[in-house]
Every structure is written in structure tokens, then in C-alpha cells.
Amino acid sequence: MARLGRDDWVAAALDAFERHGSAGVAVVPLAKALGVTRGSFYWHFDTRDELLAAALERWEREHSDAVLTAMDAVADPRERLRLLADRALSKPPTIFAQLLRGAEEPIVGAVLERSAQARTAAIAKAYRDCGLTAASARHRATVVYALYIGLAHLQPSARDRAGLTRELVALLVP
Amino acid sequence: MARLGRDDWVAAALDAFERHGSAGVAVVPLAKALGVTRGSFYWHFDTRDELLAAALERWEREHSDAVLTAMDAVADPRERLRLLADRALSKPPTIFAQLLRGAEEPIVGAVLERSAQARTAAIAKAYRDCGLTAASARHRATVVYALYIGLAHLQPSARDRAGLTRELVALLVP
DNA sequence: ACCTGAACACCGTTCAAGT
DNA sequence: ACCTGAACACCGTTCAAGT
């Protein structure tokens, strides 16, 4: 049977995280799923936490940053905010929701922290571009990001999403 | 040394939950802290999950329901919404924040689910009392509750809370 | 370079035996 | 009625030994 590389473990871990949350990233069950013993894992990684961190870093690179670059591409700040409201509600953000649910773990909390910083800054910039003062833009951005978190957590039904998007845009775009 | 009752375990568990989240509710460490062995625990409870559920039920009875009864006491719906915005930001809701962080666990998820149902219903009623249609009130309530969740998760600094409360009231009270 | 297999620590759970 | 103490299963981690 083919031997494994670091990437195989990372892929399996991210998959498990999306489906079962951070508790799903466990050495023995993953080893079983990959058809090796636990000892194999510790050749590639020092600890289980290193695997989790590597999996979440991959997600950050490949998915999380995409939202920010998409926002960067839009010149009109109001349009930028609408794009965000749309993204927040268009598809269920399963990995992000799992991050929120697993925020107790420091590794997961750190990823959320980085994400919060970057996204809040981008949103605040959009509001400044709309003419709000720096302080007001910062508060508004915290509100918007809190909303983003809350909606990801609640995972509203598909039937509710259209109405919610309208509601959000009316509330948040000046 | 005095023997323990069910309540002693529940109290210790809720304390541990508030400080270290759901992972802090662990039989062996709690037993050590209480000065007994693990076997003692299993005389009072069938499983560790039963202890967690009992601790969170106590919290629901003693604290969570208080918000709803406080809202019930206010006749003016706009005043009711202001009260909620105020509550959401006045003191850091540590237990609620830990619930969000531990939502991966089914027991914790169930408590959050109950809380979401009850609070969203109360908020939707306030908006209907303000004259919104049922559908619009329901959407708005989801937005408000999502915001409540997001802010509990973010735990904004004390310096930001006053500004945020103003922002919230302006956004949410019709 | 990658893996096995056995060991140890830690926690959840069970249960016979003690007071 | 409440607790001890020893057992077992499961997962994280280590490491000597194999290919």
C-alpha cells in the first residue's frame, strides 16, 4: 500500500474537522481511516495540535482569504458591504461554523482571532469609505462582524436566507 | 470529612464550566478538587454528560430565564428592545460565551437551541408590538439574536461597550 | 523515508467491596 | 447513603525496531 505524506494527514484532518468539528481531529480514528497505526502519525507531526493547526492554516490560505480579496476587488464601499452580506448568507459556511463551535480550543481560537482582526478591519475600511468617522466605522464593523458570527452559528434555513439578506442590507448599508 | 451530595458536584461543575468551558467538566479533575475518587461521582450520576446537563439546567433556571422575565415586565416594546441591547453588552456573559464556544457538544448545543428559541420568540414579539409584520419581525429577531450571539462571542472591551450599545439601539429599535 | 508495535499517562465507566 | 480501589476501554505520546 502507498505510504502517506504530511498532506494526506492534513487533508484527512480538515475533512474530519468539517464533518465532526475539532473533536473529530483525533489521531487514532484518523490513523484507522487512513489504514495505518498511530505511530505513523508521529513521524509526520509532533502532536495532534500541530495537525489541527496545519489543517486550519490550509483552510485559511485556500478559503478564508478569498473573501477578503473578493472584497478588495470592489471599488464601491456600499457594493462591498452588500457582497459581504450576500456571502454571509449564500452558502452555509460549515468550516467557519465548526470553528465557532470549537472556539474553546486555543488553536481554533487563534484562527478565529486572526479572522476577526482581518475581517473587522476590512469592514471598518468600507464604512470609512462611506464617510463614517473612524470610531463610528470601527463600532459598526464590530456589529457587522458579530452579526456574521451569529448567523454562521445559527445557520438559518435556506427559506429564511433571502429575507434575512434584505433585512441585513437595509440595516447595514448606509 | 463531610460527604457530598448531587448539588456539590453540580456546583463544582458549573464553576468549572464558567472558567474552563465544557472540557473543564471532567470527572477525575473535579473529583480531585472535591477530595474524593472518581468512583464517588458515579454514585450520584450515571455519566459525565448527565453532570454537564444538570449544571447547565441549573444555569438556565437561575440565570438564563431571568432575561426573559425581565423583558416580560416591560410594557413598551421599544423599551424592551433597549433593555435587551443593554443586557447584551453591560456585563460579559461568561457562561453564555462558554456555551457558544462549546456548542460542538450535543448537550451544550441543546441548551443553546432552547435559549435561541425562547429569546428569538421574545424579540419577534417585541417587533410585532412595534407594528412590524409577522414575517418581518421574525427576520429582524433572527438578526438581533445573531448579533447577541456574535457579541457574546467577541466579548468586546469595556471601552467599546458604550459606543456599541448606542450603535445597536440606533440600528435595532424602530 | 515511513511505518509497526508495545509501552505509559490520562480520563470515562463499571462494579464489588467497604463504612 | 456515600465512597474506595481496582479494572477495562479509548486516545495522546514516545520510542526502539523494522522495511
Side-chain angles (χ1 to χ4, degrees):
Chain A
M1 30 197 139
R3 308 200 124 187
L4 303 174
R6 220 180 186 262
D7 282 351
D8 297 307
W9 282 96
V10 170
L14 191 51
D15 187 61
F17 185 85
E18 177 159 15
R19 284 196 286 182
H20 308 113
S22 109
V25 181
V27 177
V28 171
L30 284 178
K32 210 162 284 179
L34 289 169
V36 292
T37 65
R38 60 184 75 189
S40 161
F41 171 80
Y42 287 95
W43 192 87
H44 298 284
F45 299 88
D46 279 344
T47 63
R48 174 257 166 187
D49 280 358
E50 192 192 327
L51 172 62
L52 180 60
L56 297 182
E57 268 160 33
R58 172 181 288 187
W59 172 78
E60 276 184 285
R61 268 198 321 280
E62 296 181 0
H63 294 87
S64 175
D65 293 352
V67 180
L68 293 175
T69 52
M71 279 184 79
D72 262 355
V74 179
D76 178 14
R78 271 162 261 269
E79 210 47 66
R80 228 140 74 208
L81 291 166
R82 277 187 212 103
L83 181 135
L84 193 79
D86 219 52
R87 284 258 184 165
L89 284 161
S90 60
K91 52 178 186 268
T94 50
I95 297 232
F96 191 76
Q98 294 286 20
L99 287 171
L100 291 171
R101 276 168 235 285
E104 212 183 327
E105 252 186 299
I107 309 264
V108 174
V111 173
L112 283 170
E113 192 55 43
R114 280 198 295 274
S115 176
Q117 285 310 117
R119 296 190 189 191
T120 305
I123 299 164
K125 181 170 184 315
Y127 279 119
R128 284 198 307 277
D129 291 352
C130 286
L132 271 70
T133 65
S136 179
R138 197 163 45 84
H139 286 145
R140 192 72 79 94
T142 304
V143 168
V144 170
Y145 187 66
L147 211 30
Y148 182 83
I149 287 181
L151 288 171
H153 193 97
L154 288 175
Q155 303 249 45
S157 69
R159 313 154 237 348
D160 281 340
R161 283 198 213 117
L164 281 169
T165 307
R166 266 198 308 283
E167 196 76 44
L168 276 185
V169 169
L171 276 175
L172 299 174
V173 179
Chain B
M1 27 196 139
R3 309 202 125 187
L4 303 175
R6 220 179 186 262
D7 282 350
D8 297 307
W9 283 96
V10 170
L14 191 52
D15 188 61
F17 184 85
E18 177 159 17
R19 285 196 288 184
H20 307 113
S22 106
V25 181
V27 177
V28 171
L30 285 177
K32 211 164 283 179
L34 290 169
V36 292
T37 65
R38 60 186 75 192
S40 162
F41 170 80
Y42 286 94
W43 193 89
H44 297 286
F45 300 88
D46 279 345
T47 64
R48 174 256 167 187
D49 281 358
E50 191 190 328
L51 171 64
L52 180 61
L56 297 182
E57 270 160 32
R58 172 181 289 188
W59 173 77
E60 276 185 284
R61 268 199 321 279
E62 295 181 2
H63 294 87
S64 176
D65 293 352
V67 180
L68 293 176
T69 51
M71 279 185 78
D72 263 354
V74 179
D76 178 15
R78 271 161 260 268
E79 212 48 66
R80 229 140 73 207
L81 291 166
R82 276 187 213 103
L83 182 136
L84 192 79
D86 219 53
R87 284 259 185 165
L89 283 160
S90 60
K91 49 175 187 270
T94 50
I95 298 232
F96 191 76
Q98 295 286 19
L99 286 172
L100 291 172
R101 277 169 234 287
E104 213 183 327
E105 253 185 300
I107 308 265
V108 174
V111 173
L112 284 170
E113 193 54 44
R114 280 198 293 275
S115 177
Q117 285 309 118
R119 295 191 189 190
T120 305
I123 299 163
K125 179 169 185 317
Y127 278 119
R128 284 199 307 277
D129 292 351
C130 286
L132 271 68
T133 65
S136 179
R138 196 163 46 83
H139 287 144
R140 193 70 78 93
T142 303
V143 168
V144 171
Y145 187 66
L147 212 29
Y148 182 83
I149 286 181
L151 288 171
H153 192 98
L154 287 174
Q155 303 249 43
S157 69
R159 310 150 239 352
D160 281 340
R161 281 195 216 120
L164 281 170
T165 307
R166 265 199 309 282
E167 197 76 44
L168 276 184
V169 170
L171 276 176
L172 299 174
V173 180

